[in-house]
Amino acid sequence: MEWFGLAALILGTYISIGNWVYFFRGQSAIPLIGAALLAIGLQSFPITRPYLLLSLLDFGFLALVIALPRLAWDAWETSRFRLLKRFEARTADADYSLRLYKGFVFVIQADFHPQVPQVYPIMLQFGLHGRWHMHEDDIVLENYANDRRTVLHRQVSGFHAAETADPNDTRDATRLHGITFTRVD
């Protein structure tokens, strides 16, 4: 069993040092694995047990602990408990889903279904999020995808999307202009 503790100590130390090197290079760290292996390795030997808390100094673990409140808030902000309205749209190329949440947050998801096999890279799915508010009977979507602004005008058939802050590239697959969303309950 000592060989397992030694292997965990060596591998955990290697990953922890690598996480700090990645941090200074501006790259992503590996959360939990380095700290867990280092803790197992330090716990395996009586002489290293007093240093068990050093395993918490792994940058991957620290980054996760620091990011956890934000990750939890993001998950709560777009949870089904906060969902106010849901809209869907279907075009020849894609299915769209728009969700409006309490706190004036929205999420748009699109799933593309190409008609013919493509030989070049194509987009199959995208998701965008931003802020929304009501303006009279219209729903205004703002601050998404390079500061776009889309107004969903209420019509008899649903809500018709009109982009008012449209980027120059008219071939952009994330455009919502001209799509009619219907409410789903």
Side-chain angles (χ1 to χ4, degrees):
M1 197 63 173
E2 288 183 6
W3 63 270
F4 180 74
L6 184 61
L9 183 64
I10 292 170
L11 189 58
T13 303
Y14 179 74
I15 291 173
S16 294
I17 291 171
N19 282 339
W20 280 103
V21 169
Y22 287 152
F23 167 69
F24 288 113
R25 288 184 182 174
Q27 298 172 340
S28 297
I30 302 170
L32 294 181
I33 296 173
L37 288 173
L38 195 54
I40 290 169
L42 290 172
Q43 183 67 26
S44 298
F45 302 104
I47 196 166
T48 58
R49 282 190 187 134
Y51 304 106
L52 181 62
L53 291 178
L54 286 177
S55 63
L56 300 180
L57 295 179
D58 172 49
F59 180 74
F61 177 77
L62 291 175
L64 181 65
V65 168
I66 291 169
L68 221 61
R70 177 62 188 196
L71 293 172
W73 174 252
D74 287 347
W76 170 249
E77 198 172 43
T78 57
S79 70
R80 63 184 175 98
F81 302 110
R82 295 179 51 91
L83 181 64
L84 290 175
K85 299 177 185 176
R86 191 172 67 131
F87 300 89
E88 289 183 354
R90 180 174 285 239
T91 64
D93 298 328
D95 296 327
Y96 297 88
S97 173
L98 169 64
R99 293 180 179 92
L100 303 179
Y101 295 95
K102 294 177 186 175
F104 303 104
V105 174
F106 76 87
V107 174
I108 298 172
Q109 182 178 346
D111 294 310
F112 293 93
H113 34 80
Q115 301 298 323
V116 294
Q118 304 290 330
V119 294
Y120 53 88
I122 58 171
M123 184 182 303
L124 295 177
Q125 186 179 52
F126 75 80
L128 302 169
H129 70 281
R131 308 294 289 174
W132 69 275
H133 68 274
M134 295 293 295
H135 179 71
E136 297 172 1
D137 283 343
D138 299 336
I139 299 171
V140 180
L141 309 176
E142 296 179 313
N143 300 333
Y144 71 98
N146 299 326
D147 291 329
R148 287 194 193 169
R149 184 173 192 269
T150 299
V151 179
L152 300 176
H153 299 287
R154 182 185 296 267
Q155 296 179 346
V156 176
S157 61
F159 287 85
H160 187 73
E163 289 192 8
T164 57
D166 199 9
N168 295 331
D169 187 4
T170 57
R171 297 170 293 137
D172 189 356
T174 63
R175 288 181 48 140
L176 301 175
H177 190 77
I179 298 173
T180 302
F181 288 88
T182 55
R183 185 162 180 184
V184 178
D185 288 318

